[in-house]
Amino acid sequence: GENVEQHPSTLSVQEGDSAVIKCTYSDSASNYFPWYKQELGKRPQLIIDIRSNVGEKKDQRIAVTLNKTAKHFSLHITETQPEDSAVYFCAASIRNGGFKTIFGAGTRLFVKA
Amino acid sequence: KAGVTQTPRYLIKTRGQQVTLSCSPISGHRSVSWYQQTPGQGLQFLFEYFSETQRNKGNFPGRFSGRQFSNSRSEMNVSTLELGDSALYLCASSLDQNSGANVLTFGAGSRLTVL
């Protein structure tokens, strides 16, 4: 079945450093790859997404890259700030008459001031 | 514009009981998906509904079921509750655009505790 693997499960960085989270998906029919941020006690919220016909997308300090051949996609956060501390989820979405979005297990990011 | 609303927010049940959770999507969103969130397991896909039809289903036992009404509101039901069903149940709605981007907007969730 469909599967999304996410690494690392925990990431600790110093404020101002960069953070990278990597994901791998199994279903080659996946065509949409969103990233969600979930702060403690809150609901997941979309922070950036990328579609299968695009290799890279950037939004201020956040960027995503997609390698369809290798079925890899990554989230890059530059100049990290304490408010970036949260759990980040990658996901792969398949359109098969309906929608099925499969999430990775999450990465808990700690940004130390 | 109101967001995705889930009720109840918190509930406690005992083993063997059943529970029904409700989700009202954003106005105009016709696709509703349900997820189970447990520590360390991320968000596990339960099912997706559109126009009162289940279009996709995850790998959960038949004790987990759902439905969608003509106004796009959705309910999920868990029967014969087990301790392992304790989790945060999240509902998400989306527009289902032909663009292929299934942008999910989540509700705050229903936290179920099974004793």
Side-chain angles (χ1 to χ4, degrees), chain A residues 61-108:
Chain A
R61 296 185 297 108
I62 297 174
V64 291
T65 58
L66 171 65
N67 182 330
K68 281 197 67 179
T69 303
K71 298 182 191 172
H72 289 171
F73 58 117
S74 301
L75 175 72
H76 304 250
I77 306 174
T78 59
E79 301 172 18
T80 54
Q81 301 166 4
E83 50 265 39
D84 293 331
S85 296
V87 178
Y88 291 81
F89 293 98
C90 64
S93 185
I94 302 158
R95 183 163 187 139
N96 58 2
F99 282 112
K100 192 170 187 177
T101 300
I102 304 300
F103 285 79
T107 295
R108 185 172 295 278

Side-chain angles (χ1 to χ4, degrees), chain A:
Chain A
E2 305 91 346
N3 186 46
V4 176
E5 293 191 1
Q6 183 172 348
H7 300 280
S9 56
T10 306
L11 179 58
S12 184
V13 300
Q14 203 69 34
E15 182 179 2
D17 288 350
S18 295
V20 179
I21 301 170
K22 297 183 179 182
C23 292
T24 303
Y25 61 98
S26 62
D27 194 327
S28 56
S30 300
N31 60 358
Y32 173 64
F33 305 90
W35 287 85
Y36 286 81
K37 175 183 180 182
Q38 187 175 31
E39 297 178 26
L40 190 62
K42 296 189 176 181
R43 69 194 75 185
Q45 293 202 308
L46 179 72
I47 55 170
I48 195 167
D49 56 12
I50 190 167
R51 301 186 188 187
S52 59
N53 59 348
V54 176
E56 186 173 354
K57 182 177 179 181
K58 188 174 181 181
D59 182 4
Q60 298 182 10
R61 296 185 297 108
I62 297 174
V64 291
T65 58
L66 171 65
N67 182 330
K68 281 197 67 179
T69 303
K71 298 182 191 172
H72 289 171
F73 58 117
S74 301
L75 175 72
H76 304 250
I77 306 174
T78 59
E79 301 172 18
T80 54
Q81 301 166 4
E83 50 265 39
D84 293 331
S85 296
V87 178
Y88 291 81
F89 293 98
C90 64
S93 185
I94 302 158
R95 183 163 187 139
N96 58 2
F99 282 112
K100 192 170 187 177
T101 300
I102 304 300
F103 285 79
T107 295
R108 185 172 295 278
L109 174 64
F110 296 96
V111 180
K112 296 176 285 186

Side-chain angles (χ1 to χ4, degrees), chain B residues 82-100:
Chain B
E82 300 177 358
L83 295 178
D85 296 333
S86 294
L88 179 67
Y89 290 88
L90 289 163
C91 163
S93 72
S94 64
L95 266 175
D96 188 6
Q97 294 174 308
N98 289 331
S99 64

Side-chain angles (χ1 to χ4, degrees), chain B residues 22-80:
Chain B
S22 179
C23 172
S24 293
I26 290 173
S27 178
H29 284 197
R30 296 169 64 190
S31 173
V32 174
S33 301
W34 288 89
Y35 289 85
Q36 181 194 65
Q37 185 174 26
T38 54
Q41 293 294 315
L43 290 84
Q44 300 291 311
F45 176 76
L46 282 155
F47 21 65
E48 185 235 357
Y49 285 89
F50 179 87
S51 289
E52 303 177 65
T53 300
Q54 184 183 91
R55 299 194 298 187
N56 275 291
K57 190 176 190 303
N59 298 323
F60 278 80
R63 299 185 297 107
F64 292 80
S65 62
R67 59 178 176 170
Q68 187 180 35
F69 302 94
S70 58
N71 62 356
S72 294
R73 188 178 71 85
S74 178
E75 289 181 347
M76 67 163 282
N77 183 277
V78 189
S79 62
T80 319

